[in-house]
Amino acid sequence: MNNLKEYMFPCLNKTVLGIDCTGCGGQRAALLLFQGEFQEAFFMYPAIYSLGVLMVFLLINLFIRFKYDFQIKMGLIIFNAVVIAGAYIFKMIHIFN
């Protein structure tokens, strides 16, 4: 399974500017998740689980309509944005200090 790392997309932002983007670590976290290393996946990219919940909800919502589905979607999207931004700020504070 480690051969899959050779096929991962490089981060254009990190390649050009030398700074991680908000999505850096997502591919590696997904790979760790599929390997069963759940804690390591969270530490690699904390939004991996909340994004998974959002994706599952969106897939279910394609076939089943809920009464407040739009509000739930917006809440999950905002929650994911907060988690991604918070993790990115935390990472940048540790990198630049």
Side-chain angles (χ1 to χ4, degrees), residues 5-17:
K5 288 183 180 180
E6 297 173 10
Y7 299 104
M8 289 186 182
F9 295 112
C11 176
L12 184 62
N13 193 45
K14 193 169 186 173
T15 304
V16 174
L17 301 175

Side-chain angles (χ1 to χ4, degrees), residues 24-96:
C24 279
Q27 289 182 85
R28 290 173 286 162
L31 181 63
L32 288 169
L33 193 65
F34 291 133
Q35 291 176 345
E37 299 178 18
F38 303 111
Q39 187 174 5
E40 290 83 2
F42 176 78
F43 287 124
M44 180 67 64
Y45 193 69
I48 190 76
Y49 294 113
S50 59
L51 285 171
V53 170
L54 175 63
M55 292 302 134
V56 167
F57 180 79
L58 291 174
L59 284 173
I60 291 171
N61 194 232
L62 285 174
F63 303 106
I64 302 171
R65 297 292 175 191
F66 301 103
K67 186 174 182 179
Y68 297 106
D69 60 353
F70 181 75
Q71 288 83 358
I72 294 170
K73 280 187 260 187
M74 295 314 312
L76 287 171
I77 289 169
I78 291 168
F79 179 73
N80 276 295
V82 169
V83 170
I84 291 169
Y88 184 73
I89 290 168
F90 183 76
K91 186 192 315 186
M92 290 297 114
I93 288 172
H94 279 63
I95 287 175
F96 289 112

